[in-house]
Amino acid sequence: MSEVLISAPDGEAIPLHALRKQDLEAFLARRRPTVRAQAEVASFKGSAGQACAILRPGGKVELALIGLGGEDRPDAMALRAGPAKLPAGDYRLASAPRGLAALQSAIAWSLGSYVFDRYKPKADRRQVRLVVADASDLEAARRVGHACALARDMVNTPANDLGPLQIETIAREIAERFGAEVRSVAGDDLRDAGYPAVLAVGRSAEGARAPRMIELSWGDEGPLIAVVGKGVVFDSGGLDLKP
């Protein structure tokens, strides 16, 4: 995925104001009347998921508003609405209520930027980017955003293009990049490894589609954490066709 979180803008960044419902009136009172007029035309009330751009005469974006809802403790995930609803450009968080975490805001922006376009004609996508001044927040948010985008790509790719072999290939690519170890058990070896049911369910599949148990491990410090999941790449009855 292209970087939607940046350390510095190309030119002047557009001020982005994150507002709760109860803070909107005071914010608009400090602005010129045309700002209020444009917010009213856009029906912007500070609700979570709302976003609108305020334009200067001539059409250039002067500032942007994004709603956080009415909760006293704002939820940074509301910023997911920004990338899809704001015009292209580089934005900086100019004002926000106390308690809105910068790191969570950056992660939300990254999550809201996700688009699955594997099967669409390649075209220049509009860039709606957020400036993250703190280098550690920028790096951490990028890591989370990239990981979530990979997982969502795998979920969204249909089974005819993403089978067990492709999942193993992705696991090996991750292992190589991050210095992890990967182990895969497939075919008759599943029985010897103690997974006879997995072998039985997928025994009719041809080689590349054969089931496999994939273990990805890394790190030698801290507590041992195991995450167990299942990648379903065949008809599992999920369409609920059975009575």
Side-chain angles (χ1 to χ4, degrees):
M1 61 181 292
S2 59
E3 294 294 357
V4 295
L5 304 176
I6 57 176
S7 58
D10 294 336
E12 184 178 356
I14 301 167
L16 176 66
H17 301 272
L19 299 165
R20 299 176 300 179
K21 285 183 175 182
Q22 57 268 39
D23 301 327
L24 178 60
E25 184 59 35
F27 174 86
L28 293 176
R30 299 191 299 269
R31 302 285 167 170
R32 53 188 174 79
T34 54
V35 174
R36 177 187 291 274
Q38 291 187 57
E40 291 178 350
V41 168
S43 299
F44 183 82
K45 302 183 184 301
S47 300
Q50 284 191 310
C52 74
I54 305 298
L55 307 181
R56 293 192 180 105
K60 186 176 181 180
V61 180
E62 176 182 351
L63 57 91
L65 311 177
I66 193 161
L68 299 174
E71 299 295 330
D72 291 335
R73 186 173 183 178
D75 183 0
M77 284 297 113
L79 271 75
R80 287 180 300 178
K85 296 184 178 181
L86 293 175
D90 295 342
Y91 294 81
R92 62 175 178 84
L93 197 55
S95 68
R98 182 177 299 178
L100 190 71
L103 174 57
Q104 295 302 317
S105 299
I107 291 174
W109 192 272
S110 181
L111 296 179
S113 301
Y114 174 80
V115 175
F116 183 68
D117 56 4
R118 174 171 176 170
Y119 301 99
K120 294 181 179 179
K122 297 301 179 183
D124 292 335
R125 285 180 53 194
R126 63 192 190 95
Q127 292 290 303
V128 187
R129 307 189 298 183
L130 181 68
V131 177
V132 182
D134 186 279
S136 61
D137 284 350
L138 175 62
E139 181 61 25
R142 280 179 173 176
R143 286 199 302 266
V144 173
H146 290 173
C148 289
L150 172 60
R152 293 165 83 173
D153 280 347
M154 293 176 71
V155 169
N156 288 325
T157 302
N160 59 310
D161 280 342
L162 186 72
L165 179 60
Q166 286 73 31
I167 293 178
E168 180 182 336
T169 300
I170 292 171
R172 293 190 180 281
E173 291 173 350
I174 294 172
E176 181 178 357
R177 179 176 179 184
F178 295 103
E181 296 180 1
V182 64
R183 173 175 173 263
S184 177
V185 182
D188 290 338
D189 291 340
L190 285 166
R191 182 188 299 107
D192 299 333
Y195 305 113
V198 176
L199 175 63
V201 168
R203 67 190 314 159
S204 62
E206 56 89 18
R209 304 292 301 186
R212 60 205 64 208
M213 298 294 296
I214 304 168
E215 295 182 14
L216 183 66
S217 60
W218 68 95
D220 55 6
E221 297 180 2
L224 177 63
I225 299 175
V227 180
V228 181
K230 178 171 65 174
V232 179
V233 290
F234 60 94
D235 178 15
S236 61
L239 296 179
D240 197 19
L241 299 177
K242 302 178 180 67

